[in-house]
Amino acid sequence: MQRVPYNFNAQKNLDILSKAAFLTTKSGNKINTMVIGWGSLGVMWRLPIFSVMVRQNRFTHTLLEKSHEFTVTIPYGDVSHLIPVCGERSGRDIDKLAACGLKTLKGQKIATPVLDLPGMHFECSVVYNRLMGKEHLNKALEELWYNKEPDDYHMFYFGEILDSYITE
Ligand SMILES: Cc1cc2nc3c(=O)[nH]c(=O)nc-3n(C[C@H](O)[C@H](O)[C@H](O)COP(=O)(O)O)c2cc1C
């Protein structure tokens, strides 16, 4: 494990995120992961922040509301075989980690683990969350992204990055 600054490989990481990364959550004994394609990396409140957008119907949302922490894994290898399960099935119905044969590595700073995949990992503690306000949303985006699942707006979670590292 190689500890690196939060913005190490930022261009590469954001590029990979836009295709598929993993948002992992844990509450009690339950560990779940889901594919994300949206998020941002930056500085807010003078803190390094990873923000993610989670629709309220996701099991991940249920777990996040309890745990207030998450990890993000940016995979550095081919993960296309994981997408049908981790990006389409809900942890409410199946144990996705078991179904995919995915192992985890203990978190260094938080109780939530990271996926044991080659890549860069972020351990985050939620410092702010906010449900999207429909009234503030651009109409074109409303039509594009909230037409099929009306009223399932995203919850934004802003996580302070407490640790970041690369595994092989
Ligand atoms: C490429 C890709 C990107 C995705 N990005 C997001 C995202 O940023 N936010 C979100 O809420 N769902 C996103 N999803 C959908 C979730 O991964 C999917 O609904 C998942 O089954 C939710 O799992 P859960 O119910 O266990 O939380 C994405 C799916 C794919 C395939």
Side-chain angles (χ1 to χ4, degrees), residues 2-129:
Q2 181 198 356
R3 191 160 270 125
V4 290
Y6 81 98
N7 55 359
F8 187 79
N9 275 352
Q11 183 178 358
K12 169 177 171 169
N13 290 339
L14 290 175
D15 198 36
I16 294 170
L17 169 69
S18 72
K19 297 182 188 90
F22 297 90
L23 170 60
T24 303
T25 44
K26 176 176 188 234
S27 177
N29 291 329
K30 188 84 187 169
I31 300 172
N32 187 49
T33 196
M34 77 169 215
V35 177
I36 53 168
W38 296 354
S40 66
L41 187 66
V43 182
M44 286 171 167
W45 307 287
R46 283 197 194 147
L47 299 172
I49 297 282
F50 207 124
S51 67
V52 292
M53 299 173 69
V54 180
R55 286 193 198 258
Q56 296 163 89
N57 70 0
R58 312 296 191 223
F59 185 52
T60 298
H61 174 262
T62 306
L63 296 185
L64 267 171
E65 288 297 304
K66 293 181 191 156
S67 70
H68 309 291
E69 58 175 48
F70 61 88
T71 65
V72 174
T73 293
I74 307 286
Y76 284 179
D78 179 23
V79 290
S80 51
H81 58 293
L82 301 173
I83 308 296
V85 172
C86 299
E88 287 170 34
R89 301 290 305 276
S90 177
R92 260 192 214 97
D93 309 320
I94 57 159
D95 179 341
K96 289 191 252 183
L97 299 186
C100 294
L102 270 172
K103 302 267 180 278
T104 56
L105 300 170
K106 212 169 168 298
Q108 301 293 308
K109 301 273 168 50
I110 61 176
T112 306
V114 300
L115 295 186
D116 187 7
L117 290 173
M120 184 156 161
H121 312 275
F122 298 84
E123 297 187 10
C124 305
S125 173
V126 175
V127 290
Y128 183 72
N129 69 309

Side-chain angles (χ1 to χ4, degrees), residues 138-154:
N138 172 294
K139 288 287 161 243
L141 289 179
E142 165 93 39
E143 183 62 27
L144 190 59
W145 295 107
Y146 302 95
N147 212 9
K148 286 193 206 121
E149 298 183 66
D151 292 336
D152 195 17
Y153 294 96
H154 285 93

